[in-house]
Amino acid sequence: MAATVSTSDPEIPLPAARPGAPSSPWEGLQSHFLAARTPAEQVHIFDLTVKTAAPLHQWASRYPLIRGVRVWPLALSVAAAAPNSSVKALVSTARLSLWVFTLDDLFDEEYVPDTELMLRAERYRAIAYGKSVPTGGDSLAIALAEIRADLAQYPLFESIGREWADALSGTIDGMIDEHRWRLELRDGNDRNLPSYEEYMASGMYSIGGPPHVWAALITSDDPSTPEHSEYLRSMERIACTCIRLANDLQSYRKELDEQNINALVLLSRPLVAQGLSQEEAHRRVEQVVRDSIVEGLDQLDELQTQSRTQTGYPEADIADIARFVCDFYREHDYHTFLGA
């Protein structure tokens, strides 16, 4: 029986439809990643996206906090990164990413008081590890319990489900870190801000990449995956670092205006303190970050060519989610894609 979702959660307003918004989810899409695929591969990816988006929309509509605008770009992302997966597997993976985006909304938009937010964080962490906890009126707790139960049906969950739970716990911790840093910056406590290295260690989790990677590995069903967990973990770290940096490139102006921190903000602050203009500091650190992304993607290329798993799909899934998302962030984002 489907869980009944309480509507006592705070209502997060959905973005209003913009006049002249595209009638097709593909209108306005710019993707070098997809353009490099053969026409047959592109058709297959778009077909998988449509078949994934329909049940994903249906599932998301049961949870009032999940924003439907993200369904199409997320369905496209998982299909592009794992075109050898079944629709069922792609839906299972995409549900998790939708959930992570929604948790990020709660932290960023501060619709929930801090005390309640921390209680929720502990509740979600417990659910990830399979503990039975009361969900109360928390629809995200109900959604996460459903996501975990779904992933647990895959054979690999028994052997690498703990990796997924650890990754999701790390993402929750990363969001807490970012929330704390944002409040400190707002209060003028510059001395308590993290170093770039500290930020990136947390940021590769808060972007939501690690739990996505392990959900994708669970659903890819390659039986040799557990034997190569450490190798795949090294790819995960590189991929998620690239995704974090690509996101920060895309969101730099917004974070600066809202007095939030990201990689470029942290790297540019000492340059501005030395007398450089904000624009010149940004120009310099932007190139540093772009070079870091290219270096990371090159490392993923090399690791993928040394593929160790039985099918090679786990390595491809990790490398291609980084390639697709880094490319996607050059022109789009997951909040406004349909209205772009």
Side-chain angles (χ1 to χ4, degrees):
M1 180 180 295
T4 301
V5 179
S6 168
T7 58
S8 62
D9 273 320
E11 189 67 27
I12 296 179
L14 296 177
R18 286 164 41 180
S23 58
S24 162
W26 316 129
E27 188 177 334
L29 174 64
Q30 298 184 52
S31 173
H32 297 288
F33 178 95
L34 292 173
R37 275 27 187 191
T38 67
E41 289 170 335
Q42 291 180 33
V43 168
H44 176 62
I45 289 170
F46 288 140
D47 180 59
L48 277 178
T49 300
V50 171
K51 291 176 178 176
T52 300
L56 196 57
H57 263 300
Q58 186 176 22
W59 178 79
S61 68
R62 294 169 45 212
Y63 297 101
L65 298 183
I66 296 178
R67 292 174 172 170
V69 70
R70 297 192 179 110
V71 167
W72 277 109
L74 275 174
L76 177 60
S77 299
V78 296
N84 295 296
S85 291
S86 68
V87 171
K88 179 181 183 297
L90 296 177
V91 171
S92 296
T93 304
R95 281 181 180 179
L96 182 276
S97 293
L98 269 179
W99 188 90
V100 169
F101 267 119
T102 308
L103 180 63
D104 192 49
D105 292 336
L106 287 186
F107 275 98
D108 281 354
E109 298 172 14
E110 301 179 13
Y111 285 91
V112 176
D114 274 8
T115 51
E116 170 66 15
L117 199 56
M118 295 306 115
L119 287 173
R120 286 186 178 222
E122 286 304 312
R123 184 182 302 140
Y124 303 150
R125 190 179 286 107
I127 292 170
Y129 286 108
K131 298 177 181 177
S132 179
V133 294
T135 57
D138 186 351
S139 66
L140 277 189
I142 298 170
L144 181 58
E146 185 175 348
I147 289 165
R148 188 188 186 279
D150 178 43
L151 290 174
Q153 296 179 40
Y154 292 86
L156 286 180
F157 190 84
E158 184 176 352
S159 53
I160 61 173
R162 177 76 187 206
E163 295 274 9
W164 172 80
D166 287 346
L168 185 56
S169 180
T171 289
I172 293 168
D173 289 341
M175 289 184 184
I176 291 172
D177 286 342
E178 289 188 0
H179 181 68
R180 184 181 73 253
W181 294 328
R182 180 167 59 248
L183 294 179
E184 289 177 347
L185 184 61
R186 186 183 301 168
D187 292 341
N189 297 329
D190 289 19
R191 288 175 298 178
N192 293 327
L193 293 182
S195 66
Y196 173 76
E197 291 74 19
E198 290 169 334
Y199 168 78
M200 288 303 299
S202 179
M204 64 162 280
Y205 279 94
S206 63
I207 196 63
H212 167 90
V213 164
W214 289 99
L217 294 180
I218 288 166
T219 61
S220 71
D221 262 354
D222 184 312
S224 67
T225 297
E227 303 167 29
H228 306 291
S229 289
E230 186 56 41
Y231 189 75
L232 296 170
R233 201 177 296 117
S234 68
M235 292 188 70
E236 170 221 51
R237 287 192 290 268
I238 297 168
C240 296
T241 298
C242 289
I243 291 171
R244 164 49 69 190
L245 290 174
N247 172 270
D248 285 11
L249 273 175
Q250 194 276 337
S251 65
Y252 168 74
R253 298 293 178 186
K254 173 177 175 290
E255 305 296 1
L256 198 62
D257 291 343
E258 296 178 0
Q259 288 190 303
N260 292 333
I261 64 169
N262 75 7
L264 281 82
V265 171
L266 287 172
L267 288 172
S268 64
R269 284 170 69 87
L271 297 180
V272 172
Q274 292 168 18
L276 267 66
S277 68
Q278 190 70 60
E279 289 302 315
E280 176 60 18
H282 175 255
R283 187 188 66 78
R284 293 191 185 185
V285 301
E286 180 180 31
Q287 191 57 54
V288 169
V289 169
R290 290 192 187 282
D291 289 345
S292 295
I293 293 171
V294 171
E295 181 182 354
L297 294 178
D298 286 345
Q299 290 175 336
L300 288 175
D301 288 344
E302 184 176 346
L303 290 170
Q304 188 181 354
T305 61
Q306 302 167 19
S307 185
R308 299 184 181 184
T309 61
Q310 183 176 312
T311 64
Y313 294 157
E315 291 91 341
D317 292 354
I318 296 172
D320 278 344
I321 194 61
R323 294 176 186 128
F324 177 85
V325 173
C326 288
D327 181 56
F328 184 83
Y329 273 133
R330 291 172 62 179
E331 301 290 343
H332 308 290
D333 65 57
Y334 288 88
H335 311 288
T336 61
F337 173 63
L338 289 178

